[in-house]
Structures are given as C-alpha cells and as structure tokens.
Amino acid sequence: MTTSHGSGPRRSIPIRAETPGDGLDLCGSGEPFALMVLGDSMAPEFVEGDIVIVEPEGLARDGSYMLAEVNGELIFRLLRNRAPGWSLHALLDGLPAVELADLGCVRGVIIQKSRPGRRRDTRRYVE
C-alpha cells in the first residue's frame, strides 16, 4: 500500500506485472490477500505495520473499510454512502474525502486486521 497523505515520507511498494506462465496466474483474482499498512491515514483503527486481509469479492457497504485504486494509486479508506453517492474517507483528521462516481475503483473489502507478533490482537470486520 502507499501513503499519499499524513506525516512521514511517501512510500510505495513496486508491483511486478504478471507474465503468462510465470506461476502468478495460479491464484484466482477472487482470492483474499494480505497487505501491510503503511502510513497513518487510517489511525487509530489501523496503524503502520498492521496486516490487513482483503477480500476482493467482499460486499461493499456503508461503513466498510475498503482498498481502492484512485488515480493509479492503491488507497485504504472507510466507505460512506451519503447523498449524492459513495465516498472514501481517511480516519486521520484533515484529509479530504474521495468522491466516487461508482464503485468500479474498489479492489476489495478489509475483512481482518492483525498486529505482527501479537496473535491475540486480531480483529474481524465481517458479520
């Protein structure tokens, strides 16, 4: 994940393009995957170093934590459904909401978080 706002330097994780026959196509696009939280835009609920599990085919609803691709960058935000439509919000005060024309940019729903080294410090976000 990248951090585009908040304190500290901007960081990104390089993503290698899939090449046919390299073995990456064995995983279905609907399989859950894990990411590490970078930055503080979602604190205090999610802090840098937390591991989140993303469900690509999860149900997007008001109040869900989402992974979305906005302007070519992956962002992690709280989804809100308010008139006139959907928007993504950081938990850190002072960061602007991202208004969405539709949910086409959503890449998945956060279904769980854990803190490395603290097995009991796990929280699930599904009902």
Side-chain angles (χ1 to χ4, degrees), residues 64-112:
S64 296
Y65 294 107
M66 311 300 292
L67 179 67
E69 187 174 351
V70 177
N71 298 324
E73 181 178 12
L74 288 177
I75 63 170
F76 168 39
R77 298 286 189 266
L78 177 67
L79 183 67
R80 288 293 182 199
N81 185 8
R82 305 279 191 265
W86 296 96
S87 56
L88 296 169
H89 299 263
L91 299 181
L92 185 67
D93 287 338
L95 297 180
V98 176
E99 301 299 325
L100 303 176
D102 57 41
L103 295 178
C105 69
V106 170
R107 298 296 172 251
V109 178
I110 307 304
I111 59 170
Q112 179 180 317

Side-chain angles (χ1 to χ4, degrees), residues 13-76:
I13 298 172
I15 299 173
R16 183 172 63 93
E18 179 180 354
T19 305
D22 67 1
L24 294 177
D25 54 348
L26 297 176
C27 294
S29 62
E31 293 294 321
F33 58 93
L35 293 173
M36 180 180 282
V37 174
L38 300 177
D40 60 358
S41 66
M42 294 301 287
E45 182 68 23
F46 302 90
V47 296
E48 184 157 327
D50 282 351
I51 303 297
V52 295
I53 306 298
V54 181
E55 172 63 61
E57 296 179 353
L59 180 61
R61 47 181 143 193
D62 183 58
S64 296
Y65 294 107
M66 311 300 292
L67 179 67
E69 187 174 351
V70 177
N71 298 324
E73 181 178 12
L74 288 177
I75 63 170
F76 168 39

